[in-house]
Amino acid sequence: MGQLDGKVGLITGAASGIGAACARVLSREGAKLVLTDMGQAGGEQIAAETGAVFAHHDVTDEAAWPGVVATAEQRFGGLHILVANAGIGIMGAAVDMSLADLRRQMAVNVDGVFLTVKYGIPAMRRSGG
């Protein structure tokens, strides 16, 4: 028995790095998972490895969020855990970065977390979590 048996989690940015590691640990502890990422191949690989469901998802696309949350609720009966991990880093000096690059980075790193919370917390409340 794992510490998270009966719990459902949603992890953004789960195709590699910290998100993939979180998926492995939460899965090992018994959580059912919905993994999202822009990286299709990596996301599908981690989902297969952990028994999770993968959804190709841009965390900055607000219109897509209800469907992602509905996947967790319909497939696994609720949502109890949120890991707002999606993030990007556009490397370089500020004087060399375009405003479009800065806006994309801020959208993923800030707006993405906001949207994770905005749509995830109500689902967690519906699940009693």
Side-chain angles (χ1 to χ4, degrees):
M1 249 191 176
Q3 295 182 57
L4 300 174
D5 287 343
K7 301 297 181 184
V8 179
L10 170 64
I11 304 172
T12 66
S16 63
I18 293 169
C22 289
R24 290 181 182 111
V25 170
L26 295 179
S27 173
R28 185 171 56 239
E29 288 300 324
K32 301 295 183 197
L33 301 172
V34 174
L35 310 179
T36 77
D37 204 292
M38 294 289 289
Q40 186 82 29
E44 288 175 352
Q45 177 185 342
I46 300 302
E49 185 181 316
T50 61
V53 171
F54 175 72
H56 185 266
H57 175 230
D58 178 348
V59 294
T60 69
D61 179 5
E62 184 171 11
W65 270 101
V68 169
V69 170
T71 297
E73 292 181 310
Q74 292 168 4
R75 185 76 178 258
F76 300 120
L79 184 62
H80 308 96
I81 302 163
L82 289 175
V83 180
N85 174 71
I88 61 171
I90 300 172
M91 305 309 285
V95 296
D96 298 325
M97 182 183 283
S98 71
L99 185 56
D101 284 344
L102 174 65
R103 287 182 174 153
R104 179 66 184 155
Q105 183 170 283
M106 295 299 290
V108 172
N109 297 349
V110 178
D111 300 351
V113 172
F114 167 77
L115 292 170
T116 302
V117 171
K118 178 179 178 174
Y119 288 93
I121 295 295
M124 292 174 75
R125 287 183 177 145
R126 287 191 293 273
S127 301

